[in-house]
Amino acid sequence: MRISVTIDSDLLKRFDQTINKKKYENRSKAFRDLVTNFLIEEEWQSLTTKVIGFVTLLYNHDTKRITEKITDIQHEMSKNIISTMHIHVDRHNCVEMIAIRGLPHELTQISDRLISLKGVKHGKLVISSIENDRD
Ligand code: NI
């Protein structure tokens, strides 16, 4: 089907630059891939199978109470937290990698809370595997 889309010119310019970098031959293919990824992500959220994932946080530990807040959330969610690795990157920056298990929407909720904390410069949730009860 052909559809027409209204989009801000600045956003379209950035989209075109990015799809050129990714070697897409046209916008339609890039758009279809985006829609597919969006739908897959939504389907993930409704899964009732437990998964394991990692939240990676880069933050400035000078930000008021940030270390405490990150620790508090992990204690509160201790049934979902498997383990944590902390890296002191330089004088101010820390990376925390937190392994978590649970339903996809639980992982998303926990990572959203962590990533939205003031002082977190970058954060990402990667869902790595599905827990298999048969093994
Ligand atoms: Ni540190």
Side-chain angles (χ1 to χ4, degrees):
M1 268 187 75
R2 275 186 85 87
I3 59 165
S4 71
V5 176
T6 307
I7 186 170
D8 185 81
S9 64
D10 232 39
L11 189 60
L12 183 62
K13 200 174 143 199
R14 284 165 55 204
F15 182 67
D16 283 342
Q17 285 167 351
T18 305
I19 64 177
N20 278 337
K21 231 189 288 171
K22 288 181 176 288
K23 308 287 177 209
Y24 274 104
E25 284 172 20
N26 58 58
R27 284 176 184 154
S28 291
K29 167 73 172 129
F31 180 75
R32 284 195 297 272
D33 285 358
L34 278 179
V35 172
T36 305
N37 283 334
F38 181 77
L39 294 175
I40 288 172
E41 237 164 69
E42 279 303 301
E43 284 161 14
W44 260 106
Q45 292 304 313
S46 57
L47 265 190
T48 52
T49 313
K50 285 189 175 177
V51 293
I52 292 177
F54 292 88
V55 186
T56 304
L57 303 169
L58 169 68
Y59 65 95
N60 183 332
H61 78 176
D62 301 321
T63 306
K64 201 176 168 214
R65 293 194 60 239
I66 188 162
T67 309
E68 205 181 323
K69 286 178 189 167
I70 290 172
T71 307
D72 280 351
I73 293 172
Q74 292 182 70
H75 278 275
E76 192 189 317
M77 297 295 154
S78 60
K79 75 171 175 64
N80 297 101
I81 307 291
I82 302 168
S83 83
T84 304
M85 177 167 72
H86 186 97
I87 302 160
H88 308 298
V89 179
D90 55 36
R91 279 185 86 84
H92 305 284
N93 294 298
C94 300
V95 164
E96 193 135 313
M97 282 186 71
I98 305 162
I100 50 181
R101 59 158 37 114
L103 297 172
H105 78 267
E106 294 176 318
L107 269 60
T108 307
Q109 273 170 17
I110 295 168
S111 79
D112 285 350
R113 280 182 68 187
L114 291 162
I115 292 168
S116 63
L117 288 173
K118 194 180 165 211
V120 173
K121 295 175 177 177
H122 178 253
K124 196 161 176 64
L125 167 67
V126 176
I127 292 179
S128 294
S129 70
I130 294 176
E131 288 197 87
N132 196 334
D133 288 334
R134 285 170 297 179
D135 298 329

